[in-house]
Amino acid sequence: MHTLRLFTVLSLLLTSAFTLFPETETEVTPIQQLFLIKELKPGIARIGVIWDKNAANRDEVLPQLQRASAATGIKVVVGEVASLQEVAPQFRTLLRDHQVEALWVLEETGLLGQAAARSFLIKNATQAGMPVFAPSETWLKEGACVTWRKDAEGIRLVVNKAVAEAMGITIPAKYQDRTAFLAMN
């Protein structure tokens, strides 16, 4: 009987541990991303986020963006889209009405995972002189500036070197050993 109780208690503790330390610990959080953006582009005051209204984690991420904005002093302007047809007008609104200085795409699932949306956003942001901070290397290969990933050693940057140089992004010395440069475009 004692062994059964001990097993039950250990099972509950293990379940609690997985709840306290979810798998998302391997993801770079929005606040971490925004702090990195601030270091990569000092002086940035406004950043635009294109966000899929239908994203499953919308209600979790939008408050995180508000907290990240407050913590960094960077105004985060979210442009929500529900269809591919809304991407271009929303991008223009961010650019013209809110004078964003960079574009930040947090995820590439759903609508933002489509090649047409990715291609449009990268092309038009680049033409406007805005760096694109992206969710994956797929975006970098098409012309975005920087993405990140987290591993056991911490956060690592992946940088499209040609685009970063063209956008005036320099990697601070403290990140040099944790940065992979893609030499393309």
Side-chain angles (χ1 to χ4, degrees), residues 7 30 40-41 85 96 113 134 145 182:
F7 178 75
L40 296 170
K41 188 159 176 61
Q85 293 76 18
R96 293 180 187 150
C145 196
L182 300 180

Side-chain angles (χ1 to χ4, degrees), residues 68 78 87 101 114 124 136 170-172 174:
V78 178
V87 172
E101 302 163 66
Q114 295 181 22
N124 286 279
S136 73
T170 54
I171 308 303
K174 67 182 181 179

Side-chain angles (χ1 to χ4, degrees), residues 97-112:
D97 296 351
H98 300 284
Q99 294 85 38
V100 297
E101 302 163 66
L103 184 63
W104 181 22
V105 181
L106 288 148
E107 62 178 44
E108 64 179 342
T109 58
L111 177 63
L112 296 173

Side-chain angles (χ1 to χ4, degrees), residues 9 23 34 46 73 128 147 153-154 159 166:
V9 169
E23 284 185 32
L34 200 53
R46 289 173 306 286
T147 192
E153 297 175 21
V159 178

Side-chain angles (χ1 to χ4, degrees), residues 35-36 39-40 155 157 171-180:
F35 271 108
L36 286 167
E39 287 194 89
L40 296 170
I155 297 172
L157 300 176
I171 308 303
K174 67 182 181 179
Y175 294 112
Q176 290 290 327
D177 63 335
R178 293 181 286 158
T179 300

